[in-house]
Amino acid sequence: MVRQFRVGVIGATEKGGYGHGLDTAFQGVEHARIVCVADDNAAGLVAAGKKLQVENDHLYADYRQMLAKEKPDVVCVGPRWVTDRVPMLTALAAAGCHIYCEKPFAGDAVAAETIVDACRKGRVKLALAHQWRAMAPVVQTIRDVRAKKWGRLLRM
């Protein structure tokens, strides 16, 4: 039997929202189901729950309560503000949740190291939403630069 991954979503309606669609990143993904949402903005939480088809009893104003009760396997972290990144991502790592995070994942090098260390300790994966690299025009441009189609790359 194939494992079904339980996915949580953290947003912040008035603090960077749900990233660039990270709330919907796992919709339609085989073997994954969005089971819970956290957002400290009541109206935003209800709207996200409706959009993601998550029942009201699986909506949380506090992501820590969501983690404790729902125990998701993966959590999408949508807020674009980095002010709460360290406590949020270290809590996810400590709970054993793999993380798909909106960029940037940290505001400075110290915060980044703290988060990476927490992920290593929790033995969880941290993935950043840098999907740009997979876009066909970008892939072709990388090929062209490597082939020196326009000459030697001086800076980027």
Side-chain angles (χ1 to χ4, degrees), residues 30 53 108 115 127 131 135 138 155:
E30 191 174 7
Q53 300 175 351
D108 58 56
I115 293 165
Q131 73 281 10
M135 298 173 85
V138 174
R155 76 180 73 129

Side-chain angles (χ1 to χ4, degrees), residues 13-43:
T13 296
E14 294 179 351
K15 300 175 193 160
Y18 288 81
H20 296 96
L22 255 62
D23 55 332
T24 62
F26 282 86
Q27 280 187 325
V29 173
E30 191 174 7
H31 309 301
R33 185 171 58 93
I34 300 171
V35 296
C36 52
V37 180
D39 187 334
D40 62 3
N41 178 283

Side-chain angles (χ1 to χ4, degrees), residues 5 9 14-15 19 21 32-33 38 50 55 57 60 63 67-68 71-72 92 98 106 119-120 127 131 133 142 147 155:
F5 290 91
V9 173
E14 294 179 351
K15 300 175 193 160
R33 185 171 58 93
K50 189 173 190 173
E55 308 250 346
D57 57 340
Y60 299 85
Y63 68 87
L67 291 176
K71 303 190 183 331
L92 292 172
H98 297 289
C119 290
R120 283 188 184 127
Q131 73 281 10
R133 196 178 156 93
I142 291 169
R155 76 180 73 129

Side-chain angles (χ1 to χ4, degrees), residues 79-116:
R80 286 176 260 175
W81 290 11
V82 296
T83 52
D84 297 325
R85 278 287 201 268
V86 172
M88 189 178 290
L89 298 187
T90 57
L92 292 172
C97 298
H98 297 289
I99 304 163
Y100 185 47
C101 186
E102 180 60 70
K103 58 199 168 306
F105 84 101
D108 58 56
V110 172
E113 281 299 319
T114 301
I115 293 165
V116 169

